[in-house]
């Protein structure tokens, strides 16, 4: 729990005026106003910093003769496509945004594997190779080998994962993007949910996935440029996660909405699959619980975020 001492320290850090402003927002129930402050802070301190650095890193790479132009171009395309993903998200075009996001993920992996493995490059430039004759550029092979690249781009973070955990994470992420790309039952469900204006849960998942790819791109570009700067404050990543999660409409995770999703996904036929792979409603519910557990277990972290928010 946050103690009186923690509150007193927060007051001292912020000063009387900023502390009273924060208390006033809470006391008067102006949580939406507080959320918009958080949204603006996240945009300025995280999103803009991320995108400025990604663009700069890409421009710098074009002057680096040690990196193949194919790698640079694919990473540049990833960056450009991500901009379109965010535009489509604003228009609530979930299926189209996911389709382009899958392409971003594929281009990112291919670009980095061309840099990492000469065998991948040799197959990439050979248009006569097809699915029957390719070896090194098979999607599953690329994802498996990309694990090694991840360990290079951020040793502190990705080395905490086992090979199996990294494989499962990349495969699960890619598989879910494919559900929105091919003519699947999920695409059909999205059309039905859009008609009922019950898509906020999926917009949240899509935003989270898009920022995940954008952060991966940032780490890869940072590594290729041999940059040691750390311009991104993780506090604002956590704060941004909270903001987009808070945009989920509570009506979209009611029993009625859950029953509607189960009906659209033909629960009687797909019960085994849905039991094995949690649907997005359960995933978001789990993440909400994890966020609450994070807050409960790390009150000082919350204090630090509040301090940054009110500066």
């Amino acid at each position: 729990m946050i103690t009186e001492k923690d509150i007193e320290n927060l007051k001292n850090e912020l000063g009387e005026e900023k502390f009273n402003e924060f208390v006033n927002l809470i006391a008067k129930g102006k949580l939406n106003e507080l959320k918009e402050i958080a949204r603006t802070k996240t945009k300025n301190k995280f999103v803009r910093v991320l995108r400025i650095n990604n663009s700069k890193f890409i421009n710098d790479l074009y002057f680096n003769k040690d990196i193949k132009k194919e790698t640079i171009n694919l990473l540049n395309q990833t960056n450009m496509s991500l901009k379109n993903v965010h535009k489509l998200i604003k228009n609530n075009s979930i299926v189209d945004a996911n389709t382009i996001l899958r392409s971003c993920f594929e281009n990112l992996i291919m670009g980095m594997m061309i840099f990492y493995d000469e065998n991948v490059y040799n197959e990439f430039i050979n248009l006569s190779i097809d699915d029957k004759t390719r070896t090194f550029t098979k999607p599953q092979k690329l994802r498996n080998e990309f694990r090694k690249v991840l360990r290079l781009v951020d040793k502190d973070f990705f080395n905490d994962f086992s090979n199996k955990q990294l494989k499962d994470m990349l495969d699960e992420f890619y598989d879910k993007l494919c559900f929105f790309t091919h003519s699947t039952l999920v695409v059909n469900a999205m059309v039905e949910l859009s008609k009922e204006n019950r898509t906020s849960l999926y917009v949240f998942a899509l935003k989270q996935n898009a920022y995940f790819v954008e952060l991966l791109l940032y780490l890869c570009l940072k590594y290729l440029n041999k940059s040691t700067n750390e311009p991104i404050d993780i506090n604002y990543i956590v704060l941004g996660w909270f903001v987009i999660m808070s945009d989920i409409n509570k009506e979209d995770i009611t029993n009625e909405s859950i029953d509607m999703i189960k009906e659209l996904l033909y629960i009687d036929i797909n019960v085994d699959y849905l039991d094995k792979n949690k649907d997005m409603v359960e995933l978001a519910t789990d993440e909400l619980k994890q966020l609450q557990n994070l807050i409960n277990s790390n009150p000082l972290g919350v204090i630090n975020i509040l301090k940054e928010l009110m500066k």
Side-chain angles (χ1 to χ4, degrees):
M1 293 182 61
I2 297 176
T3 66
E4 290 184 11
K5 184 177 180 181
D6 292 330
I7 295 174
E8 187 63 30
N9 289 338
L10 175 62
K11 184 176 181 180
N12 292 334
E13 287 276 352
L14 293 177
E16 190 78 24
E17 183 179 350
K18 285 291 183 182
F19 181 78
N20 288 338
E21 180 184 346
F22 172 72
V23 172
N24 184 55
L25 286 171
I26 297 296
K28 292 188 176 180
K30 296 183 178 180
L31 292 180
N32 283 336
E33 189 174 334
L34 188 62
K35 188 174 80 170
E36 291 310 309
I37 293 174
R39 194 188 305 277
T40 300
K41 288 280 187 176
T42 300
K43 183 177 181 180
N44 292 334
K45 298 289 187 177
F46 166 54
V47 178
R48 284 180 178 170
V49 174
L50 177 68
R51 292 175 184 168
I52 287 172
N53 277 276
N54 279 354
S55 295
K56 180 182 182 302
F57 283 148
I58 289 171
N59 288 334
D60 290 345
L61 283 182
Y62 278 110
F63 296 96
N64 190 332
K65 295 181 180 179
D66 295 328
I67 299 177
K68 294 180 175 63
K69 65 179 182 296
E70 289 83 2
T71 287
I72 304 172
N73 288 336
L74 286 172
L75 297 181
N76 190 15
Q77 184 59 53
T78 299
N79 193 45
M80 291 189 294
S81 295
L82 280 167
K83 295 176 183 177
N84 290 325
V85 169
H86 289 292
K87 289 178 183 177
L88 288 167
I89 291 174
K90 287 182 181 178
N91 292 328
N92 213 35
S93 299
I94 296 171
V95 174
D96 289 345
N98 270 288
T99 301
I100 297 178
L101 186 59
R102 190 188 80 156
S103 177
C104 291
F105 191 54
E106 291 171 335
N107 285 334
L108 171 61
I109 292 177
M110 182 66 81
M112 291 304 295
M113 289 310 301
I114 286 172
F115 168 79
Y116 181 78
D117 188 340
E118 194 71 17
N119 292 315
V120 173
Y121 173 68
N122 291 333
E123 278 197 2
F124 176 81
I125 61 176
N126 189 345
L127 292 176
S128 65
I129 293 177
D130 56 24
D131 289 340
K132 293 181 180 179
T133 57
R134 73 177 67 250
T135 301
F136 299 99
T137 54
K138 290 180 178 179
Q140 184 66 66
K141 173 73 171 176
L142 287 168
R143 290 198 303 275
N144 288 346
E145 293 299 310
F146 186 59
R147 291 176 297 176
K148 300 175 184 177
V149 176
L150 290 179
R151 296 192 189 283
L152 290 175
V153 300
D154 195 319
K155 296 178 181 178
D156 292 335
F157 182 73
F158 290 110
N159 277 350
D160 289 338
F161 292 86
S162 68
N163 282 332
K164 184 179 185 305
Q165 286 173 324
L166 280 177
K167 179 184 183 302
D168 290 346
M169 178 185 74
L170 294 172
D171 287 349
E172 178 73 9
F173 183 73
Y174 186 73
D175 288 346
K176 288 298 182 288
L177 290 178
C178 288
F179 271 134
F180 291 89
T181 302
H182 303 304
S183 299
T184 64
L185 194 58
V186 174
V187 173
N188 176 76
M190 288 303 102
V191 175
E192 292 296 322
L193 290 170
S194 295
K195 290 193 295 186
E196 299 293 327
N197 196 27
R198 292 176 181 261
T199 58
S200 69
L201 176 64
Y202 302 90
V203 169
F204 155 72
L206 177 53
K207 285 182 178 180
Q208 181 174 254
N209 291 343
Y211 283 121
F212 170 70
V213 174
E214 206 160 359
L215 275 168
L216 276 185
L217 175 63
Y218 165 78
L219 292 174
C220 291
L221 291 170
K222 185 171 179 283
Y223 168 74
L224 292 175
N225 278 281
K226 299 179 180 178
S227 173
T228 58
N229 292 332
E230 299 291 347
I232 294 177
D233 187 339
I234 193 171
N235 282 326
Y236 291 103
I237 299 177
V238 176
L239 188 62
W241 182 48
F242 170 76
V243 170
I244 62 173
M245 184 174 286
S246 68
D247 288 335
I248 297 175
N249 188 338
K250 292 181 180 179
E251 295 300 317
D252 292 348
I253 52 177
T254 61
N255 289 333
E256 179 187 353
S257 290
I258 293 172
D259 288 341
M260 180 181 179
I261 293 168
K262 287 180 177 179
E263 182 179 346
L264 289 171
L265 296 180
Y266 291 85
I267 185 66
D268 54 331
I269 298 174
N270 297 305
V271 63
D272 289 339
Y273 175 81
L274 293 176
D275 282 344
K276 183 180 178 182
N277 299 276
K278 293 180 180 179
D279 62 35
M280 293 182 188
V281 174
E282 292 172 337
L283 179 60
T285 302
D286 285 347
E287 289 186 334
L288 282 168
K289 290 178 181 177
Q290 290 173 21
L291 181 61
Q292 187 61 51
N293 290 336
L294 178 65
I295 292 171
N296 292 337
S297 64
N298 188 23
L300 293 181
V302 177
I303 289 290
N304 288 331
I305 291 175
L306 294 177
K307 283 192 295 188
E308 292 296 324
L309 181 60
M310 296 308 297
K311 282 181 181 177

